[in-house]
Coordinates of all heavy atoms in Angstrom, one line a residue:
A63 N -8.3 2.8 3.9 CA -9.4 3.7 4.0 C -10.4 3.5 3.0 O -11.5 4.2 3.0 CB -8.9 5.2 3.9
G87 N 4.1 5.1 7.7 CA 2.6 5.0 7.5 C 2.2 5.2 6.0 O 2.6 6.2 5.4
A98 N -9.8 13.2 -0.4 CA -9.4 11.9 0.2 C -7.8 11.8 0.3 O -7.3 11.4 1.4 CB -9.9 10.7 -0.5
V160 N 3.6 8.1 -4.2 CA 2.3 7.9 -4.7 C 2.4 6.6 -5.6 O 3.2 6.5 -6.5 CB 1.9 9.1 -5.6 CG1 0.5 8.9 -6.2 CG2 2.0 10.4 -4.9
G198 N -12.5 -13.7 -13.8 CA -12.7 -14.7 -12.7 C -14.0 -14.6 -12.0 O -14.6 -13.5 -11.9
D203 N -9.7 -17.1 -8.8 CA -10.3 -18.2 -9.6 C -9.3 -18.9 -10.5 O -8.6 -18.2 -11.3 CB -11.4 -17.6 -10.5 CG -12.2 -18.6 -11.2 OD1 -11.8 -19.8 -11.3 OD2 -13.3 -18.2 -11.8
A213 N -0.7 -11.1 -16.6 CA -0.9 -9.7 -16.2 C 0.2 -9.3 -15.3 O 0.7 -8.2 -15.4 CB -2.3 -9.6 -15.5
A219 N 7.0 -5.7 -16.2 CA 7.7 -5.2 -17.3 C 7.5 -3.7 -17.4 O 8.4 -2.9 -17.7 CB 7.3 -5.9 -18.6
R263 N -9.2 -19.6 14.3 CA -9.6 -20.9 13.8 C -8.6 -22.0 14.1 O -9.0 -23.1 14.5 CB -9.7 -20.8 12.2 CG -10.2 -22.1 11.6 CD -10.1 -22.1 10.1 NE -11.0 -21.1 9.5 CZ -10.6 -19.9 8.9 NH1 -9.3 -19.7 8.8 NH2 -11.4 -19.1 8.5

Side-chain angles (χ1 to χ4, degrees):
V160 182
D203 188 347
R263 181 188 297 112

